[in-house]
Amino acid sequence: MDNEDSQDKWQIQLRKGALELVILAALRGPPVYGLAMLRHLQQFPTTAITEGTLYPLLDRLKREELVGADWIQDGDTRPRKYYRLTAKGERKFQALAASWRQSITDINALLTMPAGAPVDTQGS
Amino acid sequence: MDNEDSQDKWQIQLRKGALELVILAALRGPPVYGLAMLRHLQQFPTTAITEGTLYPLLDRLKREELVGADWIQDGDTRPRKYYRLTAKGERKFQALAASWRQSITDINALLTMPAGAPVDTQGS
DNA sequence: CACAATACCTTGCATTGCAAGGCATGATGT
DNA sequence: ACATCATGCCTTGCAATGCAAGGTATTGTG
């Protein structure tokens, strides 16, 4: 239950998937701490979220073991909580990225296709 | 308030926007009735929704005057409720399509860019 | 009459995104 | 020493969403 096959009807939910996707994407490289990631995402209007969105989501990803976190003290500054991708998170990222691409394809198809005229009817 | 400029923070909400977008897209052509539209959307996994999703959403779009509806009797069959796009809906569709394209661009950018390494650092 | 198919619509629940606010720690000024 | 500000993490409470499940009405078939 709830393994990475849970795209059961999750391709449908690009609404939920999109944010999760970009967060996992942000963590592919070196570990990042919360506020840094927030600033990273705020570069783009589409992903300009706030702390109230980010931290609960990171919590969920951690409960699902897609990300891990370590408190690291960086020289002088106060310790920060650095997040990183687990192996499971890596796989999930690949899967989500794939269904993201599929969704784009599907939606683009619908954007060029009204419901009224399925295949047909344009002169002969 | 709540005119079509309400993309206040709506680019962020491609989650909500995506479904709304494809429904408006489906109605650009000739009018369509509910279940026909459902089958149309079910062609693609991404948009395979159910009646419990579609009808409340169509209600909302109607309240917002983005779509209109008429009962039409089609020869023999029972009357069906045909939905169509209003002028306002047409404009909304254009706006949503534009922010959809923007979102795709943004997310694709993030998909090729981990948070750790802003601009740099590959060899010299 | 019963039964199924078509078509529209509603109820109730879990989940989401978010504004707003609350800690705690370190840096800075006097 | 003390107050103040900035940084960083996290929580509470609300409105909105998507959906499974069920309900109603009409038409057709036996």
Side-chain angles (χ1 to χ4, degrees):
Chain A
M1 55 303 265
D2 237 353
N3 44 19
E4 62 257 45
D5 282 329
S6 300
Q7 307 178 317
D8 305 326
K9 48 195 63 170
W10 277 90
Q11 278 130 349
I12 305 169
Q13 250 134 331
L14 81 166
R15 300 160 282 278
K16 178 180 180 186
L19 251 191
E20 191 168 326
L21 174 63
V22 296
I23 287 185
L24 295 179
L27 292 176
R28 279 166 309 161
V32 195
Y33 68 96
L35 289 192
M37 186 150 143
L38 200 73
R39 289 182 204 114
H40 174 66
L41 295 175
Q42 283 171 341
Q43 292 179 319
F44 301 93
T46 306
T47 54
I49 61 175
T50 69
E51 303 168 55
T53 300
L54 179 62
Y55 285 116
L57 217 165
L58 283 173
D59 278 357
R60 203 192 75 212
L61 297 179
K62 191 154 146 244
R63 276 199 308 279
E64 295 172 1
E65 298 179 303
L66 302 175
V67 310
D70 316 277
W71 288 97
I72 295 185
Q73 178 147 19
D74 230 2
D76 261 1
T77 73
R78 226 156 353 115
R80 305 196 265 230
K81 198 173 186 178
Y82 280 82
Y83 293 89
R84 55 186 164 66
L85 222 51
T86 63
K88 192 172 172 184
E90 188 78 54
R91 289 193 302 269
K92 179 72 166 189
F93 169 70
Q94 298 297 340
L96 269 183
S99 55
W100 169 253
R101 283 187 288 270
Q102 178 67 59
S103 293
I104 297 204
T105 305
D106 289 354
I107 292 182
N108 277 341
L110 287 165
L111 286 186
T112 64
M113 183 206 307
V119 197
D120 61 15
T121 29
Q122 198 229 43
S124 83
Chain B
M1 56 302 268
D2 237 354
N3 45 19
E4 61 258 51
D5 283 328
S6 299
Q7 306 179 319
D8 304 325
K9 50 194 62 173
W10 276 87
Q11 279 130 349
I12 304 170
Q13 252 133 330
L14 81 166
R15 297 161 284 276
K16 179 180 181 185
L19 251 191
E20 191 168 328
L21 174 63
V22 295
I23 287 185
L24 295 178
L27 293 175
R28 278 166 310 161
V32 194
Y33 69 97
L35 288 193
M37 185 150 144
L38 200 72
R39 290 181 202 114
H40 174 66
L41 295 175
Q42 283 171 342
Q43 293 179 317
F44 301 94
T46 307
T47 54
I49 61 175
T50 69
E51 303 169 54
T53 301
L54 179 62
Y55 286 116
L57 216 164
L58 282 172
D59 278 356
R60 202 193 73 212
L61 296 179
K62 190 155 147 244
R63 277 199 309 279
E64 295 172 1
E65 297 179 303
L66 302 175
V67 309
D70 317 280
W71 288 97
I72 295 184
Q73 179 148 19
D74 228 4
D76 262 0
T77 72
R78 227 157 348 119
R80 305 198 264 229
K81 197 171 185 180
Y82 280 82
Y83 293 90
R84 55 185 163 66
L85 222 50
T86 64
K88 193 171 170 185
E90 188 79 54
R91 288 193 303 271
K92 180 70 167 189
F93 168 70
Q94 298 297 341
L96 268 184
S99 53
W100 168 253
R101 283 186 289 270
Q102 178 67 60
S103 293
I104 297 209
T105 306
D106 288 354
I107 292 182
N108 278 341
L110 286 166
L111 286 187
T112 63
M113 183 206 308
V119 198
D120 61 16
T121 31
Q122 201 230 41
S124 81

